[in-house]
């Protein structure tokens, strides 16, 4: 039967784009003289409600506004009281001027273009150990190319190096078969939520404040976030009594708690847990039968004297606990640390203690995504197995690493001190990670004005800050906070030479804001 439209080939407009509307069904309607308007197959009412429930504040409404202002500055310079947008909203070091680590980039470049390894001039441009490392890696990748799919858990040589790096860090063995290499830490978190959450009756204990990846992934996968509050008055301490209280409340509400998320060093709060505190957390998870989801992506970012990083797996092993005693999943990423390779999307999760049949299902989830990007896999293997003393690249590597970390420590101190000098602001020291999370004691008039503008008070403050100074911070409500309190998160990542000017802008704005709304 003829429909009135030739269906043997698509119909194109003058600019070459396919005209989607001219389908068989529309031809039938036209032939019958129907004027019925077409209904869009997708609407805000028809999409998955879990998507609507998910929020991600670090790229939320304030950042969208900042991007619009940036475009206005390009098209109309001088249209605002600032000449640039300063993004302090996200841990994205290289976007703010941090230089990549030379050794890492050399190895990745050679692996991406292995024909360079055969050229004599390469030895004048690349360090000898970068050449040897790249040769070793690329020769163990099937097909000797980064442009092909790899094993779904990651290239074997990369997982071997990651496991070796974990063992060297912790002093306890690591099994490459426990390593799942991922496109940054986020896909690993999503995979674990897919695995653990079967319905809204399943819950995940999550810190408040928290990195909104967790609340968003729990919402997307249909579970329930069970909040536990960090104690701001004790430097954002994680208290065992609080965990027990929230677990009992969840049980009483009919929620089966499957796992506990711990972020160490903290994001957005910057605290570094003591080993004793970690032991208490490990015992809590063991006794309650909870999976311990350990976000450890800031393990290199430790600034406070006397503070050190210990992985939760190391702590558990030092307590004599093995795979049969506790399930621990730790996440690492090349986006943070001193390397800051966010765009490379490299990371891994080490999964220990899962029964084999469950681990097989996790592998199936990894297989659905085929594999993570191979260049990112190589980079995370380098992060976990960097140059050693005696290697030709070691001195330059150590100099670059130490320069970045010492600068971050100085910036953390300067920003904390500046925040504490502002009227109505208190800020705990950033012991680690890349952020400060100061509390704002906003005047009642400001809170009323925020309500009249249809905004939360901290959103109102950050919006006014952006429109006045071009500085982008994230309102604390995007991370969760004790009801009735207000915070903002600010990164320590702008370059040291720009830090003074940023603090001056912030100080001037804050004084005007407080004067305007003073009770």
């Amino acid at each position: 039967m003829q429909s009135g439209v030739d269906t043997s080939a698509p119909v194109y407009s003058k600019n070459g784009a396919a005209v989607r509307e001219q389908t068989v069904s529309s031809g039938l309607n036209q032939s019958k003289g129907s004027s019925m308007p077409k209904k869009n197959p997708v609407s805000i009412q028809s999409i998955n409600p879990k998507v609507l429930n998910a929020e991600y504040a670090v790229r939320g409404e304030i950042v969208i506004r900042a991007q619009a202002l940036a475009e206005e500055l390009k098209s109309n310079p001088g249209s605002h009281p600032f000449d640039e947008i300063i993004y302090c909203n996200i841990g994205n070091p290289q976007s703010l001027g941090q230089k990549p680590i030379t050794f890492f980039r050399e190895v990745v470049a050679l692996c991406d273009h292995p024909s360079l390894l055969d050229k004599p001039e390469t030895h004048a441009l690349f360090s000898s150990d970068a050449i040897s490392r790249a040769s070793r890696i690329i020769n163990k990748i099937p097909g000797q190319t980064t442009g092909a799919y790899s094993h779904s858990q990651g290239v074997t040589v990369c997982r071997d190096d990651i496991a070796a790096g974990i063992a060297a860090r912790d002093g306890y063995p690591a099994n490459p078969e426990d390593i799942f290499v991922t496109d940054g830490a986020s896909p690993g978190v999503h995979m674990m939520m897919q695995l653990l959450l079967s319905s809204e009756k399943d819950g995940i204990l999550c810190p408040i404040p928290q990195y909104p990846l967790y609340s968003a992934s729990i919402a997307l996968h249909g579970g329930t976030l069970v909040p536990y509050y960090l104690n701001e008055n004790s430097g954002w301490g994680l208290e065992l009594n609080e965990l027990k209280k929230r677990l009992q409340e969840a049980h009483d509400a009919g929620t089966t708690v499957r796992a506990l998320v711990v972020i160490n060093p903290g994001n957005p709060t910057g605290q570094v847990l003591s080993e004793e505190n970690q032991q208490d957390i490990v015992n809590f998870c063991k006794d309650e039968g909870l999976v311990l989801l350990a976000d450890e992506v800031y393990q290199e970012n430790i600034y406070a004297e006397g503070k050190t990083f210990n992985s939760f797996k190391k702590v558990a092993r030092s307590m004599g606990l093995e795979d049969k005693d506790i399930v621990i999943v730790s996440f690492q990423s090349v986006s943070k640390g001193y390397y800051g390779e966010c765009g490379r999307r490299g990371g891994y999760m080490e999964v220990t203690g899962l029964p084999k049949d469950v681990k097989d299902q996790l592998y199936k989830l990894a297989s659905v995504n085929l594999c993570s990007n191979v260049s990112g896999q190589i980079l995370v293997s380098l992060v976990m197995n960097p140059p050693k003393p005696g290697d030709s690249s070691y001195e330059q590597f150590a100099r670059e690493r130490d320069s970045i970390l010492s600068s971050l420590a100085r910036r953390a101190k300067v920003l904390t001190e500046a925040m504490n000098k502002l009227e109505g602001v208190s800020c705990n020291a950033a012991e680690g990670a890349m952020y400060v999370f100061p509390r704002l004691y906003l005047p009642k008039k400001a809170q009323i004005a925020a309500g009249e503008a249809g905004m939360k008070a901290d959103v109102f403050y950050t919006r006014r800050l952006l429109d006045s100074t071009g500085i982008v911070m994230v309102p604390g409500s995007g991370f969760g906070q004790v009801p009735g309190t207000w915070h903002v998160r600010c990164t320590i990542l702008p370059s040291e030479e720009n830090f003074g000017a940023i603090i001056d802008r912030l100080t001037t704005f804050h004084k005007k804001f407080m004067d305007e709304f003073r009770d």
Side-chain angles (χ1 to χ4, degrees), residues 203-316:
I204 306 291
L205 272 164
C206 195
I208 298 296
Q210 52 96 32
Y211 179 49
L213 163 67
Y214 292 97
S215 55
S217 62
I218 292 168
L220 285 170
H221 299 296
T224 296
L225 187 149
V226 179
Y228 67 89
Y229 289 89
L230 303 176
N231 189 339
E232 185 170 11
N233 294 329
S234 64
W236 298 111
L238 196 167
E239 298 175 351
L240 200 60
N241 286 338
E242 171 71 3
L243 291 179
K244 293 177 179 178
K245 175 184 176 183
R246 300 304 175 182
L247 179 63
Q248 186 60 54
E249 289 176 350
H251 286 170
D252 293 344
T255 300
T256 301
V257 177
R258 301 292 185 187
L260 167 70
V261 172
V262 182
I263 307 174
N264 181 46
N267 176 12
T269 47
Q271 84 282 7
V272 178
L273 299 179
S274 69
E275 186 172 358
E276 293 75 19
N277 198 182
Q278 290 181 269
Q279 290 172 350
D280 290 338
I281 294 164
V282 168
N283 275 326
F284 174 76
C285 288
K286 176 179 70 71
D287 294 342
E288 300 294 344
L290 302 178
V291 176
L292 175 50
L293 300 175
D295 183 328
E296 299 178 334
V297 304
Y298 295 99
Q299 58 191 258
E300 300 280 359
N301 300 95
I302 310 291
Y303 315 124
E305 290 186 17
K307 292 285 187 175
T308 57
F309 169 78
N310 291 295
S311 75
F312 271 98
K313 195 186 88 170
K314 175 184 177 180
V315 170

Side-chain angles (χ1 to χ4, degrees), residues 150-464:
S150 76
H151 186 283
S152 292
Q153 278 185 244
V155 176
T156 300
V157 65
C158 295
R159 286 187 285 130
D160 287 343
D161 283 355
I162 293 168
I166 294 170
R169 180 195 68 193
D170 292 347
Y172 294 94
N175 184 351
E177 293 304 311
D178 293 336
I179 306 298
F180 288 75
V181 190
T182 52
D183 288 325
S186 300
V189 171
H190 281 291
M191 287 171 63
M192 289 309 303
M193 296 307 174
Q194 282 181 293
L195 190 76
L196 294 170
L197 298 172
S198 59
S199 77
E200 63 185 12
K201 292 185 180 298
D202 290 329
I204 306 291
L205 272 164
C206 195
I208 298 296
Q210 52 96 32
Y211 179 49
L213 163 67
Y214 292 97
S215 55
S217 62
I218 292 168
L220 285 170
H221 299 296
T224 296
L225 187 149
V226 179
Y228 67 89
Y229 289 89
L230 303 176
N231 189 339
E232 185 170 11
N233 294 329
S234 64
W236 298 111
L238 196 167
E239 298 175 351
L240 200 60
N241 286 338
E242 171 71 3
L243 291 179
K244 293 177 179 178
K245 175 184 176 183
R246 300 304 175 182
L247 179 63
Q248 186 60 54
E249 289 176 350
H251 286 170
D252 293 344
T255 300
T256 301
V257 177
R258 301 292 185 187
L260 167 70
V261 172
V262 182
I263 307 174
N264 181 46
N267 176 12
T269 47
Q271 84 282 7
V272 178
L273 299 179
S274 69
E275 186 172 358
E276 293 75 19
N277 198 182
Q278 290 181 269
Q279 290 172 350
D280 290 338
I281 294 164
V282 168
N283 275 326
F284 174 76
C285 288
K286 176 179 70 71
D287 294 342
E288 300 294 344
L290 302 178
V291 176
L292 175 50
L293 300 175
D295 183 328
E296 299 178 334
V297 304
Y298 295 99
Q299 58 191 258
E300 300 280 359
N301 300 95
I302 310 291
Y303 315 124
E305 290 186 17
K307 292 285 187 175
T308 57
F309 169 78
N310 291 295
S311 75
F312 271 98
K313 195 186 88 170
K314 175 184 177 180
V315 170
R317 297 294 180 262
S318 71
M319 297 166 64
L321 301 179
E322 301 296 337
D323 283 359
K324 62 183 176 58
D325 302 308
I326 186 171
V327 179
I328 300 176
V329 182
S330 61
F331 303 98
Q332 168 65 316
S333 170
V334 303
S335 301
K336 311 307 176 188
Y338 57 85
Y339 12 92
E341 292 278 11
C342 302
R344 295 288 176 168
R345 306 312 299 137
Y348 71 81
M349 59 179 178
E350 183 187 20
V351 182
T352 59
L354 278 185
K356 183 183 183 304
D357 56 351
V358 177
K359 193 173 178 182
D360 289 344
Q361 297 304 307
L362 188 61
Y363 177 75
K364 181 172 69 178
L365 287 178
S367 299
V368 169
N369 293 321
L370 296 175
C371 70
S372 59
N373 79 88
V374 176
S375 294
Q377 294 184 38
I378 293 169
L379 187 53
V380 74
S381 77
L382 299 174
V383 162
M384 296 305 293
N385 190 18
K388 307 293 190 297
D391 293 345
S392 60
S393 288
Y394 178 75
E395 287 189 10
Q396 181 183 17
F397 162 76
R399 185 169 60 250
E400 292 174 349
R401 176 198 63 197
D402 294 347
S403 174
I404 292 169
L405 289 173
S406 60
S407 176
L408 287 170
R410 290 192 297 271
R411 283 176 269 172
K413 185 173 185 292
V414 167
L415 187 55
T416 301
E417 291 175 348
M419 288 291 185
N420 281 318
K421 289 178 181 177
L422 299 178
E423 178 187 358
V425 176
S426 65
C427 185
N428 283 315
E431 298 175 338
M434 294 179 170
Y435 319 97
V436 295
F437 196 64
R439 180 174 177 179
L440 309 177
Y441 296 84
L442 296 174
K444 184 65 68 176
K445 285 183 180 178
Q447 296 180 47
I448 293 171
E452 291 173 348
M455 300 179 188
K456 296 176 181 177
D458 51 3
V459 175
F460 181 72
Y461 180 89
T462 52
R463 174 66 180 265
R464 291 282 293 259

Side-chain angles (χ1 to χ4, degrees), residues 77-122:
S79 56
H80 295 283
F82 46 85
D83 56 9
E84 63 176 334
I85 301 296
I86 301 172
Y87 290 97
C88 298
N89 61 299
I90 194 168
N92 194 16
Q94 293 187 28
S95 73
L96 294 169
Q98 181 175 304
K99 301 299 182 186
I101 299 297
T102 302
F103 177 79
F104 296 164
R105 284 299 182 90
E106 287 187 347
V107 175
V108 172
L110 290 169
C111 288
D112 278 343
H113 196 12
S115 64
L116 293 175
L117 293 167
D118 299 324
K119 298 183 181 297
E121 56 266 35
T122 297

